[in-house]
Amino acid sequence: KTEERIFCNICNLNKEENEINFVCECKFYTDLSQEMFLEAREGFNIQDKLDRFIFIVKNHPRLLSTYLCKAWKRRQTKLFNL
C-alpha cells in the first residue's frame, strides 16, 4: 500500500504536512516556534529540523504542549474562520 503524501496548505513551502513541518518549519507558526525554542533556551540553533523536533519533544514537553495549543487554535482560525 502506498501512503498518500499531504502537503501543507498553510504555508507556500511545498513541504509535506507532518509533525516536523507543524512544529519546526511552517512559516505560519514561526513566531510561536521561535518563542518556544527561546523559552527552552536551547535547541534554537539546531539546524537539522528532525534533531530540533526530537530535542523539544524529549526535553520540553510542557513548552511543546503550549505551542501545540496555540498553533492549533491559529490553524483552526485560518482554515475555518473560527
Side-chain angles (χ1 to χ4, degrees):
K1 181 180 173 183
T2 305
E3 288 187 34
E4 183 179 336
R5 293 176 60 190
I6 299 171
F7 291 88
C8 181
N9 60 359
I10 300 289
C11 65
N12 60 358
L13 296 177
N14 199 30
K15 296 278 189 171
E16 187 172 353
E17 185 170 51
N18 58 29
E19 297 84 355
I20 295 168
N21 180 63
F22 189 70
V23 174
C24 299
E25 294 178 320
C26 186
K27 298 298 182 195
F28 188 64
Y29 311 109
T30 298
D31 61 316
L32 298 176
S33 63
Q34 284 180 345
E35 177 184 316
M36 175 178 61
F37 282 104
L38 285 172
E39 194 167 335
R41 297 178 188 224
E42 308 166 68
F44 193 77
N45 294 321
I46 298 172
Q47 296 302 308
D48 182 78
K49 301 296 184 196
L50 178 58
D51 290 343
R52 196 176 218 207
F53 179 75
I54 291 169
F55 167 81
I56 204 72
V57 168
K58 281 186 171 182
N59 299 298
H60 297 283
R62 287 182 189 236
L63 290 177
L64 178 60
S65 295
T66 299
Y67 168 85
L68 291 173
C69 289
K70 289 178 181 179
W72 189 253
K73 285 179 186 176
R74 184 180 289 182
R75 178 185 176 83
Q76 296 296 90
T77 302
K78 169 90 171 161
L79 293 178
F80 305 111
N81 294 330
L82 297 176

